[in-house]
Each structure stands twice: as C-alpha cells, then as structure tokens.
C-alpha cells in the first residue's frame, strides 16, 4: 500500500469524525430509539450514522464502572428484551443479509463517508470470506451487535443461575425486570434462538466471539438451553463456529496497525478483537457448555420449578 493510499483513507476518516462531532443523542431518547430499532429493524431508515450516535447516547452514562453499566442495563428491561429478541430471531441466511443491508442502506453524507472508508479498506485488505457486498453490511453493524451482546452478558453475569426476576406490582409489562421466566429470557423459543444466534456467530465481522460468549451465559443461566445447542444439526454453535473463530484469531492481521484504524472502532476480519479476548470468549463458552453437559436430565430443574425460582432485583 502506498503512502498516498494511507493519506486518502485518513482523510476520509477525519471527514467522517468531523461530520459526527457536533451530534449528540440524550440518554432517554437513545434508549427509546434503540429499543424501537431492535424490535422492528425493517422499519429502520437505514442510517448507520444515526444508529451509532444512538448507541453512544446509551453508552456514555454506562462508562464510569461495571456496577454502573449493570445498574443502567437492569433499569432498562425494555431494551434488554428488544436486544435478545433481535439476536435470537430465526431467519434464512439470505434474509439475514437482506436485513443487514436494509439497516445500512442510507446514503447521507456521514454514512457514505463511512461506507467509502470500509470499501477502501476492503480493496486493500480483502475479507477472507464471501464477496465484498456481503461483508460490508455486517461490519457496519459491528458497534450495534457488540454493544447489545455485552449489555445482555453483564446482566446475566449478575444473576444467579436459574433464578429469574420478581415481577413488580403496578408496572407495565415492558418495564418489568428482565428476565421473568424462560419465555421472557428467550422469546423466540429454545431451538429458534439457537438458530438466530448462529446467524450472528457465523460471519467474520468481529463481534462473533462476543455472540458466542452470550450464548454461553444463556446456557449457564438456563441449563435447558444447553440441550438445544448440543442437538443443533451439524453442531454449528457447539463446536464448528467456536473453532472457526479461534482459528481466525490466530491468523496474522490483514490490516496494518495504525492509529487511524483504531479510531474507527472497526474490527473487520476479526483483527479488531485481540487474540486474548477472542480466546477468553471461546474458552469460557466451551467451559460453560461443558458444565451444562455434566447435568443429567434428572438434575435439570422442571420448567415449572424454574418459573418459581426468583431473586430480588
């Protein structure tokens, strides 16, 4: 790559940053907007810049500490419900790609600037899988998928296994603590949830290991989910995809290390995830899955018992 190529890409990045610098979304507006997008992604206008700014509006108050992030996540159960529904929706791979393309179709100036950056990087360091048209859209959604999976993981890590939340009197259903029961935890059902998570874990956009980590936390919290993962045809989520992403993390980075790439917050081809982070996510997942396998069918709680086991918020 020539010096002029690097200069051209850096100019595009500076332009993108300048276009976003003056924009801000208040926290309450951001939560409401993000919840709406996740509940019905097909109604979203496809402005990826607006989506990123919305995520930043939710993220900013969460930054001081882990305890703050968990507290804010628990205080916004409507966003948690929309997030798990979005990630566990079963659809064909073709429909999944179509949805991602729909969510990133905007051609406003900031969006086109970001798309030009990604296209320039793709030209210089092509993705290892599929065609460019099928790879740019998933990478443009990296911030969304990484944020909502981490949001869900934080809450699940803070809850004891199999202990659902207590309902709050006089509160609307969407503002009840999450999760109240198995159908609230996985609104699309066990088998369909496995297929939905598999779609998000199958690519090479950079967030796949985090999706796999979320799958492990769901399996630890609700052990019957383990059986659905293990009985999935071809064991995609149990074995194939974790091994795939471990292998990808061991490959030499295809994009050079340079401050301008880091400013993009763009993983791309798994190079944005450090080897350590990817390995930790995958090995934690496999350990959690193995722990679930050690439970015999007799030791698994009956669904009715599970409904009655609760913790205070």
């Amino acid at each position: 790559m020539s010096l002029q190529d690097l200069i051209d890409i850096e100019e595009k990045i500076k332009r993108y940053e300048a276009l976003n610098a003056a924009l801000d979304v208040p926290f309450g507006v951001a939560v409401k907007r993000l919840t709406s997008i996740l509940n019905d992604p097909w109604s979203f206008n496809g402005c990826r810049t607006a989506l990123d700014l919305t995520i930043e509006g939710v993220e900013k108050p969460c930054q001081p500490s882990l305890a703050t992030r968990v507290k804010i996540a628990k205080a916004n159960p409507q966003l948690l419900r929309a997030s798990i529904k979005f990630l566990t929706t079963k659809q064909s791979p073709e429909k999944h790609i179509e949805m991602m393309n729909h969510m990133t179709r905007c051609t406003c100036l900031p969006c086109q600037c970001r798309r030009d950056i990604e296209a320039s990087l793709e030209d210089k360091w092509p993705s290892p899988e599929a065609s460019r048209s099928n790879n740019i859209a998933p990478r443009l959604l990296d911030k969304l998928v990484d944020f909502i999976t981490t949001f869900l993981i934080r809450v699940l890590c803070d809850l004891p296994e199999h202990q659902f939340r207590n309902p709050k009197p006089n509160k609307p259903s969407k503002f009840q603590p999450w999760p109240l029961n198995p159908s609230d935890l996985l609104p699309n059902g066990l088998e369909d949830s496995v297929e939905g998570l598999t779609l998000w874990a199958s690519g090479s956009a950079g967030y796949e290991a985090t999706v796999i980590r979320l799958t492990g936390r769901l399996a630890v919290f609700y052990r019957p989910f383990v059986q659905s993962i293990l009985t999935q045809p071809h064991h995609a989520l149990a074995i194939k995809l974790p091994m795939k992403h471990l292998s990808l993390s061991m490959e030499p980075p295809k994009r050079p290390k340079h401050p301008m790439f880091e400013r993009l917050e763009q993983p791309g081809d798994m190079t944005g995830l450090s080897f350590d982070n990817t390995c930790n996510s995958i090995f934690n997942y496999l350990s959690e899955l193995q722990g679930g396998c050690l439970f015999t069918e007799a030791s698994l709680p009956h669904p009715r018992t599970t409904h009655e086991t609760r913790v205070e918020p």
Side-chain angles (χ1 to χ4, degrees):
M1 168 171 265
S2 68
L3 177 61
Q4 187 59 48
D5 288 330
L6 289 170
I7 292 173
D8 289 344
I9 294 174
E10 182 153 24
E11 284 302 314
K12 291 176 182 177
I13 295 174
K14 287 179 180 178
R15 188 183 183 199
Y16 175 75
E17 291 173 336
L19 288 167
N20 289 345
L23 301 174
D24 193 20
V25 182
F27 176 76
V29 174
V31 169
K32 186 175 181 180
R33 186 180 297 172
L34 185 56
T35 301
S36 176
I37 292 169
L38 294 171
N39 274 324
D40 187 7
W42 292 99
S43 67
F44 177 52
N45 66 7
C47 183
R48 193 263 184 188
T49 303
L51 179 59
D52 273 6
L53 291 169
T54 298
I55 294 167
E56 288 171 12
V58 181
E59 263 184 329
K60 284 178 183 177
C62 301
Q63 291 173 355
S65 67
L66 176 59
T68 302
R69 291 194 289 273
V70 172
K71 182 178 179 180
I72 289 176
K74 286 185 173 182
N76 292 277
Q78 73 278 26
L79 179 54
L80 295 171
R81 289 186 172 93
S83 298
I84 196 66
K85 175 186 172 186
F86 179 77
L87 291 170
T88 60
T89 296
K90 178 183 177 180
Q91 54 190 343
S92 69
E94 294 77 17
K95 196 72 174 177
H96 185 64
I97 290 293
E98 184 184 347
M99 182 190 73
M100 289 190 286
N101 288 334
H102 172 84
M103 293 182 71
T104 58
R105 74 187 191 282
C106 181
T107 57
C108 71
L109 191 56
C111 284
Q112 189 57 51
C113 186
R114 176 58 189 271
R115 187 172 288 274
D116 288 346
I117 293 168
E118 190 56 45
S120 297
L121 295 174
E122 182 70 20
D123 285 340
K124 304 305 175 184
W125 300 287
S127 299
E129 298 180 0
S131 64
R132 186 201 314 174
S133 62
N134 283 349
N135 273 275
I136 288 181
R139 288 204 300 273
L140 290 175
L141 289 175
D142 68 321
K143 192 168 189 175
L144 170 67
V145 179
D146 188 64
F147 173 74
I148 62 177
T149 50
T150 304
F151 214 53
L152 290 163
I153 288 169
R154 296 301 183 199
V155 172
L156 291 168
C157 286
D158 197 56
L159 293 172
E161 297 175 23
H162 285 285
Q163 296 189 25
F164 291 91
R165 306 289 298 280
N166 283 314
K168 291 291 185 180
N170 305 319
K171 271 198 172 186
S173 58
K174 67 179 180 179
F175 294 120
Q176 289 290 335
W178 180 87
L180 292 173
N181 50 52
S183 61
D184 194 28
L185 177 72
L186 296 167
N188 293 307
L190 293 174
E191 288 75 18
D192 284 359
S193 293
V194 172
E195 296 303 322
L197 290 165
T198 298
L199 286 171
W200 291 107
S202 296
S204 57
Y207 47 68
E208 291 78 10
T210 312
V211 174
I212 290 172
R213 182 79 174 103
L214 170 63
T215 305
R217 290 313 308 170
L218 288 165
V220 165
F221 181 77
Y222 187 54
R223 293 292 182 180
F225 191 47
V226 175
Q227 186 66 21
S228 298
I229 296 171
L230 296 177
T231 56
Q232 182 188 24
H234 312 299
H235 304 292
L237 203 51
I239 300 173
K240 289 188 176 181
L241 291 175
M243 294 303 101
K244 167 190 168 181
H245 295 304
L246 273 179
S247 298
L248 281 175
S249 71
M250 297 176 192
E251 293 181 4
K254 293 180 172 58
R255 295 179 182 179
K257 291 185 178 180
H258 191 283
M260 70 177 182
F261 298 121
E262 295 173 4
R263 299 209 313 271
L264 269 177
E265 297 180 343
Q266 175 64 34
D269 306 337
M270 298 297 291
T271 58
L273 283 173
S274 72
F275 176 75
D276 286 347
N277 286 340
T278 303
C279 285
N280 284 338
S281 292
I282 299 301
F283 285 125
N284 282 335
Y285 168 70
L286 294 174
S287 176
E288 289 161 349
L289 205 60
Q290 182 184 30
C293 294
L294 297 178
F295 278 72
T296 65
E297 185 176 351
S299 69
L300 285 171
H302 189 276
R304 181 171 297 172
T305 304
T306 305
H307 277 265
E308 297 169 351
T309 309
R310 303 193 177 278
V311 292
E312 291 298 329

